[in-house]
Amino acid sequence: MLSFQEKLDILSSFPELTRNDVSMGRVNFHFEGSLHEKKTVGYRLHPNGSGYIYAGLLKGYETDGKGYASIRDLDEKQLRELAAASIKSLSAPPSGPAREPGQSRAARKRRMARTAWVSPEGDELELRSEDDLWYLYAGMNLEMAFETFEEAEEYLQEEGFQPKA
């Protein structure tokens, strides 16, 4: 297992990533050039050895519900390969119905700032972007919060909701 410092040194060697020290001695690494809502590549690297790399757009990695793969037991080569693959995946333009050809990330985010969703029974929820999070409301009541639009969209679709036309 790599030491905490070795993991920091490896991720710091990627010029595309910006180090952000967070609470309890943990460190995140952000990729500001991301073409996706997700910007955090290295997540919660901790002196105890734990840490994660975003692999939600990659195949072949076991990830948690937010798309992060544990890096606790990776060697240097594996960590470098995973970090490079994560950056590459976030550099590719997103696909799917939420993106229109030629639409910038900022324009897409503005368009998605508020979206209404409807269930087959006619129940309506509103998804709003505020302070870099996505909040799901039923009327005036906050139902849930999500880190990314994609996470919120996945949840809504699993619950049978569709974007309101």
Side-chain angles (χ1 to χ4, degrees), residues 16 19 35 37 56 81 86 97-98 110 113 124 131 144 158:
E16 305 94 325
R19 177 182 169 154
L35 297 179
E37 294 297 318
E81 287 173 357
S86 179
R110 279 192 302 276
E124 191 170 318
D131 301 322
M144 297 186 81
E158 286 174 0

Side-chain angles (χ1 to χ4, degrees), residues 7 20 85 87 164:
K7 290 175 184 175
N20 291 355
I87 293 167
K164 186 175 179 180

Side-chain angles (χ1 to χ4, degrees), residues 11 17 26 30 38 52 55 79 83 102 124 156 160:
L11 291 177
L17 300 179
R26 296 177 298 187
H30 291 189
K38 181 66 69 182
Y52 305 89
L79 179 55
E124 191 170 318
L156 286 162

Side-chain angles (χ1 to χ4, degrees), residues 1-3 5-11 13-14 53 71-84:
M1 178 171 74
L2 295 169
S3 71
Q5 188 59 52
E6 289 170 323
K7 290 175 184 175
L8 292 178
D9 291 345
I10 291 167
L11 291 177
S13 73
F14 288 89
I53 296 288
I71 61 169
R72 177 180 283 280
D73 298 320
L74 298 184
D75 63 25
E76 180 178 355
K77 181 180 180 208
Q78 293 168 322
L79 179 55
R80 284 188 186 283
E81 287 173 357
L82 179 55

Side-chain angles (χ1 to χ4, degrees), residues 105-133:
R105 183 171 178 262
R108 178 175 173 237
K109 189 169 184 176
R110 279 192 302 276
R111 185 174 69 79
M112 293 188 309
R114 284 184 176 216
T115 58
W117 292 74
V118 181
S119 73
E121 297 81 28
D123 298 321
E124 191 170 318
L125 298 175
E126 183 178 41
L127 185 60
R128 297 182 205 161
S129 173
E130 301 170 7
D131 301 322
D132 292 329
L133 290 174

